[in-house]
Amino acid sequence: MAPSKDLHEANRRSWNEATPAHNSHKGDQARALREGHCTLFPEEQELVGDVRGQSLVHLLCNSGQDTLSFAAKGARVTGVDISDEAIAFARSLSEASGLPGTFVRQDVYDWLAAASAEGTRYDVAFSSYGAMCWLSDLGAWARGLAGVLAPGGRFVVVDFHPLALTLDEQWRLHYPYGGGVHVETAGVTDYVAQAQDALVPWGFKEGVKDFRNPHPDHTFQWGLGEIITALLSAGLRLEALREYPYANGARLFPRMRETEGRRMWPPEELPTIPLMFGLVVIKPA
């Protein structure tokens, strides 16, 4: 399998359309960062650990809010994303917030190949919340990760659980589990409008109304075993695996219950299932 660059390009168009709508709901984000608001949830902070003085690359960084939250914790940060709109916003947010960061607009596969060939190495690589589903080739991705990690460096991902991605809006099994199956949908949605304060704790703004994306998106269904096997096959060592029965900040489905910490749970009448996972792998020294 090779990365599906044509589908990645279609996703770029879909994200370019959705990103301004997302940011329209988040108010003065630079001020929020200056005032000490952190967009990272406890789960990723626990798995990533202390980043003071470390180099960190955030792959599929979106508009850079989490990237700059790591900068506020003392990391030297680089963010990579395919969306022109997201990277332009991240650069302006970095300047306005006073938090330094380097942001690169590039397909993650192209960036990993180039950075690895150039000998660029990082102490930490990070991805989160809707990252794995955009990867069309796990093997190339995992080898690229191994290539940009310094010896002893770690990759951390906190993302929605593959099991959750098999469900439709009625909590019924609908999509296949794993296999790299390609799924086309009606485009990146305005999930920030759906989540409201759960994603904008410093104050949700109404912003863009009734967003409809004219560009379809293309995602890929990967099982947890496939993800871990790809990373191990690239020479990385598994250090931690977590499964969480809630989703942070995201109303993935109707009737989700919100509890303290902006955690979203299934409706009371349904049994708990893993809605997120966390994974840490290490590059042997």
Side-chain angles (χ1 to χ4, degrees):
M1 181 182 294
S4 301
K5 295 298 185 67
D6 56 335
L7 300 184
H8 299 180
E9 176 61 17
N11 288 338
R12 184 185 68 83
R13 292 192 292 271
S14 193
W15 276 103
N16 280 348
E17 197 74 28
T19 296
H22 297 166
N23 285 315
S24 75
H25 305 299
K26 296 182 179 181
D28 190 344
Q29 298 181 71
R31 178 180 177 180
L33 288 170
R34 290 195 303 269
E35 292 177 348
H37 286 279
C38 177
T39 60
L40 301 165
F41 284 90
E43 289 76 10
E44 51 262 39
Q45 294 186 64
E46 181 251 326
L47 291 175
V48 171
D50 187 358
V51 295
R52 286 175 294 181
Q54 297 191 329
S55 57
L56 181 148
V57 61
H58 184 180
L59 302 173
L60 296 90
C61 69
N62 201 287
S63 293
Q65 295 92 344
D66 286 359
T67 322
L68 295 174
S69 290
F70 280 121
K73 293 182 176 297
R76 303 185 305 277
V77 301
T78 298
V80 181
D81 199 274
I82 199 170
S83 168
D84 312 77
E85 291 284 346
I87 290 300
F89 187 92
R91 289 170 177 163
S92 65
L93 184 60
S94 175
E95 182 177 0
S97 67
L99 293 169
T102 299
F103 291 94
V104 181
R105 199 231 62 86
Q106 198 168 14
D107 186 306
V108 67
Y109 288 96
D110 294 337
W111 183 88
L112 286 168
S116 181
E118 292 167 1
T120 306
R121 300 293 180 264
Y122 293 87
D123 300 309
V124 183
F126 174 76
S127 292
S128 68
Y129 302 111
M132 301 303 304
C133 65
W134 303 107
L135 301 174
S136 59
D137 183 335
L138 282 186
W141 162 78
R143 291 189 296 272
L145 273 176
V148 300
L149 284 175
R154 60 200 183 277
F155 168 64
V156 179
V157 58
V158 177
D159 207 341
F160 303 120
H161 200 285
L163 179 59
L165 302 183
T166 67
L167 304 177
D168 67 12
E169 290 191 350
Q170 304 305 316
W171 295 86
R172 298 174 301 204
L173 287 171
H174 180 76
Y175 300 102
Y177 183 89
V181 174
H182 166 219
V183 176
E184 179 178 334
T185 64
V188 179
T189 65
D190 190 358
Y191 54 80
V192 180
Q194 296 163 2
Q196 299 196 6
D197 288 343
L199 281 180
V200 194
W202 56 86
F204 174 81
K205 304 294 183 182
E206 185 172 30
V208 171
K209 298 179 182 179
D210 302 321
F211 173 75
R212 295 291 183 272
N213 200 321
H215 302 293
D217 65 22
H218 304 266
T219 59
F220 303 88
Q221 300 287 101
W222 299 110
L224 198 54
E226 292 172 306
I227 295 168
I228 294 172
T229 297
L231 293 166
L232 297 181
S233 297
L236 303 172
R237 186 185 76 244
L238 179 63
E239 181 173 87
L241 174 63
R242 307 270 197 275
E243 293 180 291
Y244 307 97
Y246 51 82
N248 281 336
R251 301 183 191 277
L252 298 175
F253 308 102
R255 299 183 292 122
M256 295 192 82
R257 297 176 292 121
E258 183 175 353
T259 61
E260 186 177 357
R262 296 176 286 143
R263 292 173 172 175
M264 305 293 174
W265 298 74
E268 289 185 352
E269 70 271 17
L270 296 179
T272 58
I273 60 171
L275 294 181
M276 296 194 318
F277 76 96
L279 182 64
V280 182
V281 292
I282 303 293
K283 182 173 181 175

